[in-house]
Amino acid sequence: MDMFLQGLQNFMDFRVILFSVVGMSVGIVFGVIPGLAANIGIVLFLPVTYVMEPIEALLMLLGIFCGATYGGSITAILLGAPGTNSAAATVLDGYEMTKNHQAWKALMTALAASVVGGVISALLLLAAAPTIASATIKFAPPELFTISAFGLSVIAAVSGKNFWKGLAGGAIGMLLSTVGSDTMSGKTRFLFGNIKLSTGLSMSAVLLGIFAMCVILDKTRELFDQNQEKIEKITFSHEDRLSWKEIVGCTPLMLKSSLIGCIIGIIPGVGAGIASILSYNEAKRTSKTPEKFGTGFIEGVAAPEAANNAVTGSALIPTLTLGIPGAPAAATLMAAFTIHGLTPGPLLFKTSGSQMYSIMIGFLFLNFAMLLIGYVMCRFFVNVVRVPSEVLIPILTLTCIAGAYSEAGSMIQVYTLLAFGLMGYIFSLVKIPSIPIVLGFILGELSEFNFRRSLVMSDQSLGIFFKRPICVFFIVLTFVFIFTLTADTGKLKAKFKKGRES
Amino acid sequence: MKIKTNLAAGALCLAVSVIVWILIPYQIGEVAGGTITSDARLFPRMFTVLMGSLGIVLMVMSLVFHKEVIKEIQVNQEARVLGYYAIVFVFTILIPVCGFLIAAILFVVASLIYLKSRNKWHYIASVCVTIAVYLAFSKGLGVRF
């Protein structure tokens, strides 16, 4: 209780609230622009947060996370193209509503549903995370290693169809994590004569290169690929409103979809995209009027939007308590937490309890703030999509490079960014997914460190991992996870596509 | 041009793993009389073997089981994308030579020309945003370029 009150007190600071709101607004903008997503927003603004206090910085980045998840629905509804993959299901009814001159109603439905989903997941985070953290506090290096190994198995889940390529990407990421000085022996690894690499590769430069530069190059390719259609200014009718009766009528569905999103979010590596598809299918299946789905039905917008925002908070539960990312964007947030001195894992709540409560309370505030920001700024955010790509591309590139440089005031980070950008580009040509590389990079160092500490404890015996019940549990879970979840997501997406085509 | 992505990815992983395996003794020192816990080469070797094995798996999938994912690319398009990347590279070379702000302004103008923008307001807006980004980082965040 003391930590909760102290956390609340730390949160009630003007700068903290200001940066949270700024992060939410930036996130919505990133969600609106097709091709950009929470990941890109987080990595681009990560260098900006170096001069901030940890709570301000992390709430700003969490604001980007939440805002981008909601923002994807705006383009999904208005243009029929989801701004982020979490809004893929929203297109089905959202765009139809726009065609039926009900664009504003669709946007407000998406906003209300996103807020409901986000608040429920934030409350779950506030209640569950400290409880789980207190249970995991006794984890020793063997348990921490098997948890990291389970986290690496998440690579299989996020790889989907590209299972073997995903694992290869994970192996590449793990190999990259060995660059620098070995903590156990002090030996340097892969420095190539450059002493500035002794502290390892810059995480923000790696993230900027793999995510942001790849997206920039993709947008460059699209620019050369087709004639861009000019997007006309979007206006709304005053008669097109969402009534209280409609909100109340959708509330049970939003609550159910939020629950689906929370459960999906806790499962590592699955993400908001699957949650929105699942909840849309479930809403249609249990609806009294399933034939209305796909024709511009308000429930077809409410269900996926409640679910995808419900993923945001619940995905942070395994991320913060176990150090296993609950969603792809959570992997980049893990990096952000680590950079700001709050290493996710079982010890996080013990060492930084009041700061974590500030962040969780701030996360709850963010979801309420999304209601006000979304309502006021929606009309302006929609026109962000009209920014021409030929202007956006160099500005984004410039921001990446300035961001990479700002970390240490050295060009080495910029060259790291360029190298990883080129690597990401080559990997995209051969379809090696990038999220596993990042996961491998983050978890590789942790797994190596805990593995070797475990061997010190057991006097070089590997049996230690099979004698401890929690270790055995996570080893079994790892194998089960790899074999079951990847198959299910593939079938689910195929079923969804088939339903959409019919 | 069609790329057999499984074969290409597998070959890439295998090639990189061979190169890294050769580099390990030169880049990572050995602890005399060391144990497995103090062996700095252990995990790099494990990850290298893992990457190489997965590369072989991908190549076998493609060549033996004919399970392939074909990606079609337009060589002209990719050449243009790499052309833009070259502009970015030149920009980073120019930063220590003529300062971040000048290099950045030259970069955005060159990019807009390369991306075939003909609207003068794009150039004006981009230069203004460039100056704003520079000021935000240098004055706002205290970054010394």
Side-chain angles (χ1 to χ4, degrees), chain A residues 90-167:
Chain A
T90 309
V91 172
L92 299 174
D93 278 277
Y95 190 49
E96 292 301 316
M97 288 180 76
T98 297
K99 288 183 194 172
N100 298 338
H101 307 289
Q102 293 180 314
W104 186 251
K105 183 186 279 191
L107 288 172
M108 290 299 104
T109 305
L111 179 61
S114 295
V115 171
V116 168
V119 166
I120 288 173
S121 74
L123 289 170
L124 180 66
L125 175 67
L126 197 55
T131 310
I132 294 171
S134 64
T136 59
I137 196 95
K138 291 176 187 164
F139 283 7
E143 284 79 17
L144 295 175
F145 169 71
T146 50
I147 287 171
S148 298
F150 175 61
L152 291 168
S153 75
V154 161
I155 285 168
V158 301
S159 305
K161 270 192 207 173
N162 296 318
F163 172 67
W164 295 108
K165 285 179 184 163
L167 281 185

Side-chain angles (χ1 to χ4, degrees), chain A residues 105-398:
Chain A
K105 183 186 279 191
L107 288 172
M108 290 299 104
T109 305
L111 179 61
S114 295
V115 171
V116 168
V119 166
I120 288 173
S121 74
L123 289 170
L124 180 66
L125 175 67
L126 197 55
T131 310
I132 294 171
S134 64
T136 59
I137 196 95
K138 291 176 187 164
F139 283 7
E143 284 79 17
L144 295 175
F145 169 71
T146 50
I147 287 171
S148 298
F150 175 61
L152 291 168
S153 75
V154 161
I155 285 168
V158 301
S159 305
K161 270 192 207 173
N162 296 318
F163 172 67
W164 295 108
K165 285 179 184 163
L167 281 185
I172 292 165
M174 288 188 274
L175 189 59
L176 291 170
S177 74
T178 61
V179 174
S181 297
D182 175 36
T183 46
M184 298 282 277
S185 66
K187 292 288 178 185
T188 56
R189 300 193 289 198
F190 302 115
L191 296 196
F192 297 99
N194 192 335
I195 199 71
K196 288 184 178 174
L197 287 176
S198 61
T199 50
L201 291 169
S202 159
M203 198 175 287
S204 62
V206 169
L207 292 174
L208 280 167
I210 287 182
F211 288 126
M213 283 309 297
C214 274
V215 165
I216 288 166
L217 294 178
D218 279 343
K219 285 191 104 49
T220 309
R221 187 186 294 116
E222 282 169 20
L223 194 61
F224 288 122
D225 186 21
Q226 61 195 18
N227 297 318
Q228 280 191 304
E229 288 176 19
K230 196 177 169 189
I231 299 168
E232 299 300 328
K233 192 171 177 184
I234 297 159
T235 55
F236 302 102
S237 163
H238 286 289
E239 293 164 357
D240 169 25
R241 289 171 187 272
L242 179 67
S243 66
W244 276 109
K245 189 180 171 188
E246 284 168 322
I247 295 175
V248 169
C250 275
T251 300
L253 176 65
M254 288 195 280
L255 291 174
K256 186 173 84 168
S257 299
S258 300
L259 186 62
I260 292 172
C262 284
I263 292 168
I264 296 293
I266 287 174
I267 300 170
V270 184
I274 298 294
S276 67
I277 293 169
L278 265 176
S279 67
Y280 184 89
N281 281 342
E282 182 60 20
K284 187 175 177 181
R285 187 184 71 82
T286 56
S287 172
K288 290 174 186 169
T289 52
E291 70 282 358
K292 285 189 182 177
F293 279 78
T295 65
F297 191 33
I298 195 174
E299 292 187 2
V301 174
E305 283 303 310
N308 68 23
N309 268 81
V311 165
T312 56
S314 56
L316 291 176
I317 295 172
T319 306
L320 299 178
T321 59
L322 298 175
I324 300 169
T332 46
L333 282 169
M334 261 181 74
F337 271 81
T338 306
I339 287 169
H340 283 283
L342 299 172
T343 306
L347 295 176
L348 178 61
F349 282 80
K350 183 185 179 189
T351 56
S352 312
S354 64
Q355 284 178 305
M356 289 313 301
Y357 270 103
S358 298
I359 288 167
M360 289 189 294
I361 291 165
F363 189 75
L364 182 61
F365 163 80
L366 275 170
N367 283 285
F368 281 115
M370 183 163 56
L371 183 63
L372 184 63
I373 296 167
Y375 182 76
V376 170
M377 301 298 288
C378 202
R379 292 169 198 269
F380 305 102
F381 286 144
V382 300
N383 288 303
V384 169
V385 76
R386 296 174 73 221
V387 174
S389 291
E390 55 264 32
V391 173
L392 199 61
I393 288 165
I395 296 300
L396 282 177
T397 310
L398 180 66

Side-chain angles (χ1 to χ4, degrees), chain A residues 216-228 389-390 393-394 425, chain B residues 74-87 110-117:
Chain A
I216 288 166
L217 294 178
D218 279 343
K219 285 191 104 49
T220 309
R221 187 186 294 116
E222 282 169 20
L223 194 61
F224 288 122
D225 186 21
Q226 61 195 18
N227 297 318
Q228 280 191 304
S389 291
E390 55 264 32
I393 288 165
Y425 168 76
Chain B
Q74 304 294 328
V75 177
N76 290 345
Q77 236 173 66
E78 300 305 323
R80 285 177 184 161
V81 169
L82 289 173
Y84 176 73
Y85 209 77
I87 295 175
S111 298
L112 286 166
I113 294 170
Y114 184 78
L115 298 172
K116 300 181 183 174
S117 173

Side-chain angles (χ1 to χ4, degrees), chain A residues 51 165 172 185 188-189 192 221 225 388 390 393 397 405 411 418 422 425 428-429 451-452 455 460, chain B residues 5-6 27 36-40 43 47 51 54 61 71 77-78 84-85 92 104 112 122 141 143-144:
Chain A
V51 295
K165 285 179 184 163
I172 292 165
S185 66
T188 56
R189 300 193 289 198
F192 297 99
R221 187 186 294 116
D225 186 21
E390 55 264 32
I393 288 165
T397 310
Y405 182 87
M411 289 300 291
L418 287 185
L422 190 61
Y425 168 76
S428 71
L429 287 182
F451 179 82
R452 290 159 83 181
L455 291 187
Q460 315 298 315
Chain B
T5 60
N6 283 349
Q27 291 295 318
I36 195 171
T37 52
S38 61
D39 185 0
F43 268 71
F47 297 149
M51 187 170 62
L54 290 165
M61 274 174 63
K71 179 165 176 155
Q77 236 173 66
E78 300 305 323
Y84 176 73
Y85 209 77
T92 60
L112 286 166
H122 289 178
L141 301 177
V143 177
R144 296 174 73 179

